[in-house]
Amino acid sequence: MVRFWRMIAVFPIVFMAACGGEGAEAEAKASAPDPRLRLAADALEAALPDRAAAVYTAVSAAPGRFFELLDEATAEADAAGGLLALVDKRRPLEPGYEPDDLVSLNDYPLSVTRKDLRLRKAVMDAVSEMDAAAKADGVRLVFASAYRSYEYQDGLFKRYAAAYGEAEASRFSARPGASQHQLGTAIDFDPIDEAFASTDAGRWMEANAGRFGFSLSFPRGMEAVTGYIWESWHFRYVTKAGAALEREFFGGVQQYMLEFLDAYSR
C-alpha cells in the first residue's frame, strides 16, 4: 500500500527524464522529494501497515515540516537518552533498567500526593514550565505517580491480578518491564481515575500538554492499539517537537508515533 505512494513520489523523475533528456532529468532531480521519504515509507509499512498510507499522505504533503520535527525530536531524545523509547506489552524493558538521572519531585515547587516521587532530570524543565503555566491559569496539577521500578510494578500488577484476574488486570495495569513509568518520563495526575478528565486539571492537560512536550499515552477507544483502557490521567514526555509530530502526522496517537520511530531508527 505504501509502495504506491513511494511510486508517486519518484514518478516525476522517471517521467521527465524519459521525455526531456538530461536537462529534464537534472531539473527533476533538483525538485525531487527528500530521499528520507523512502525510509519513512518503509518504516511506516513495517510498523503501521493499516495506517501507513494515510500517514504517508500527510508526510509527503509536508515533508519539510515532518523532517524538521522528526530531527528536533530525535536529537533531544538521543542527547538525553531514551526519551522516545518504545515500551509496551511486546517490547518490555530489562528488569535492571533504571534511569541514572532520577531526581525527587520534593526538590521542586510541585504539588504531590506522596514524598517518594521521582522523574528524570532531563524532563524537569518541561515539568516545571508546564506546572507554572497551569498555576498561571489558576489550575493546580497534583502529581500522584512518576518513576516506578521493575520490582514495584511487579508487586502492583500481582495485587491487581489477585483482585481482578490477570486478563482484566492487564487491561489497566502493565506487567513488570512493560510500564512507561519505568522510563522515568511518565506522570499520573491525581485523581488516578476517569474523574480526572472532568477536573480543571484534566481539561487543562488535554488542551495544553502538547505545548510542553507531553502527550496522553492511552486515549479513549484505543485499547486495541495501545493495549490499555483510556487513562485520562497518564501523560508521557515525548519532547515538544515529538508532541507536534504526533499531533500533526499521527492523528494524536502516541503509540503510532513511537512505533514508527522504533522502526525508522533501525
Side-chain angles (χ1 to χ4, degrees):
M1 182 160 47
V2 178
R3 291 191 182 92
F4 170 73
W5 296 105
R6 293 213 307 268
M7 288 171 63
I8 290 178
V10 302
F11 177 75
I13 298 176
V14 177
F15 179 77
M16 293 181 69
C19 295
E22 292 182 1
E25 181 178 3
E27 182 180 348
K29 287 183 177 179
S31 60
D34 192 317
R36 292 179 296 174
L37 278 170
R38 293 192 178 190
L39 298 178
D42 288 339
L44 287 168
E45 198 167 22
L48 306 170
D50 295 335
R51 296 280 306 170
V55 176
Y56 188 78
T57 298
V59 171
S60 58
R65 174 65 172 170
F66 176 79
F67 287 111
E68 175 188 9
L69 292 174
L70 178 63
D71 290 345
E72 185 177 342
T74 54
E76 180 182 344
D78 292 344
L83 292 184
L84 293 172
L86 176 60
V87 177
D88 57 21
K89 291 181 176 181
R90 292 184 294 144
R91 285 147 295 218
L93 293 165
E94 294 294 325
Y97 175 81
E98 179 179 313
D100 60 7
D101 63 340
L102 290 171
V103 294
S104 173
L105 298 196
N106 299 334
D107 297 333
Y108 297 81
L110 305 172
S111 297
V112 297
T113 60
R114 304 197 324 252
K115 293 297 185 180
D116 60 347
L117 300 184
R118 294 183 294 165
L119 285 170
R120 288 193 56 187
K121 176 68 173 176
V123 309
M124 289 311 300
D125 284 347
V127 169
S128 297
E129 183 184 5
M130 182 171 67
D131 186 71
K135 287 176 179 174
D137 288 339
V139 174
R140 179 170 174 256
L141 300 178
V142 180
F143 295 73
S145 186
Y147 168 74
R148 297 177 192 161
S149 68
Y150 182 97
E151 293 75 19
Y152 183 98
Q153 191 67 34
D154 185 38
L156 186 64
F157 182 80
K158 285 176 177 176
R159 289 195 296 275
Y160 284 135
Y164 300 99
E166 287 196 13
E168 183 63 21
S170 68
R171 298 182 62 210
F172 62 84
S173 179
R175 295 176 185 273
S179 174
Q180 290 186 346
H181 286 285
Q182 193 177 343
L183 290 169
T185 59
I187 301 165
D188 286 347
F189 291 97
D190 186 65
I192 303 180
D193 58 44
E194 292 181 6
F196 178 76
S198 60
T199 65
D200 289 343
R203 288 189 289 267
W204 192 91
M205 285 297 296
E206 182 180 11
N208 295 283
R211 294 197 291 125
F212 305 96
F214 288 86
S215 76
L216 187 71
S217 296
F218 311 119
R220 189 196 301 265
M222 298 296 292
E223 184 177 356
V225 173
T226 67
Y228 300 100
I229 62 173
W230 175 47
E231 292 191 355
S232 63
W233 60 87
H234 179 111
F235 289 81
R236 174 181 170 178
Y237 183 73
V238 293
T239 76
K240 291 180 181 179
L245 187 73
E246 174 191 315
R247 181 179 63 253
E248 295 177 28
F249 296 95
F250 293 92
V253 180
Q254 184 189 112
Q255 184 74 18
Y256 288 153
M257 181 186 70
L258 294 178
E259 290 193 9
F260 163 76
L261 292 175
D262 182 67
Y264 187 77
S265 65
R266 293 179 183 174

